[in-house]
Each structure stands twice: as structure tokens, then as C-alpha cells.
Amino acid sequence: RTLAEAGEYKVKCITVQPGQSLSLQYHHHRAEHWVVVRGQALVQIGDIEYLTRAGEYKFIPLKEKHRLTCVGDEELVLIEVQCGDYLGEDDIVRLSDIYERV
């Protein structure tokens, strides 16, 4: 859900259930900052995966492939700050998606 939005930034709260993940994707027009609020995330940036816990942060550069997976038994809650010249949902390039979205 979107918490705030203005011009060149958007702030979202993202929740992911245990064992679930977002698509492997990248963006042409925005970078993202991810802060884990609750739970544990496996954050893939490029070809490297980082175990990221509550209170920890990861930066996703423009055009870098990335994925978010909830690991552990607790729901993952993450704050995402998008920064860029275009923040539309159609700027998602999915490389792999378990839900078969395009």
C-alpha cells in the first residue's frame, strides 16, 4: 500500500507472507531503498543474496535486478522508498515470477 507520494518519490509498505517472494525484476526509472520493519528478508540484488533483519536496510540501484523473499515463520513488513523520474507500476520489468505475472 502507498503511504506517501510526491513528484520524484513514493513510499510504500509491503508485506510478504512466510515462504513467499516478489518477482525477480528491475526498473528503468527508479532506485529503491528497502527497510525491514518486521520479520526476515532474503534480498537479492544482482546475483548476491543478503539476509536482512528488522532494522536493517538495503539499497537497490537503478536498473539492478532484485527480489524480496520472506524467510522464517513471521510475516515480513518492509518500507520501500522509490526515487526516480518516473514511478509508475508499468516500470516493472519482470525476469522471473512464481505467480506468472507479466
Side-chain angles (χ1 to χ4, degrees), residues 2-89:
T2 299
L3 304 175
E5 184 173 5
E8 66 282 346
Y9 75 88
K10 185 186 290 187
V11 181
K12 289 183 159 186
C13 180
I14 297 173
T15 58
V16 182
Q17 297 303 310
Q20 299 299 305
S21 64
L22 304 182
S23 59
L24 179 63
Q25 58 186 258
Y26 69 92
H27 310 286
H28 290 288
H29 300 281
R30 70 177 184 245
E32 297 177 340
H33 304 264
W34 288 355
V35 179
V36 175
V37 176
R38 182 173 62 230
Q40 292 186 77
L42 189 61
V43 176
Q44 179 183 344
I45 304 171
D47 293 323
I48 301 173
E49 293 180 326
Y50 305 90
L51 182 62
T52 310
R53 296 177 176 89
E56 296 178 342
Y57 161 94
K58 291 293 179 242
F59 172 67
I60 316 299
L62 180 72
K63 298 184 181 179
E64 184 66 78
K65 69 180 178 181
H66 57 282
R67 180 190 328 250
L68 177 66
T69 302
C70 178
V71 294
D73 298 329
E74 186 177 16
E75 177 183 68
L76 173 64
V77 178
L78 178 126
I79 300 299
E80 175 183 87
V81 179
Q82 302 174 0
C83 301
D85 60 9
Y86 177 73
L87 305 174
E89 289 300 310

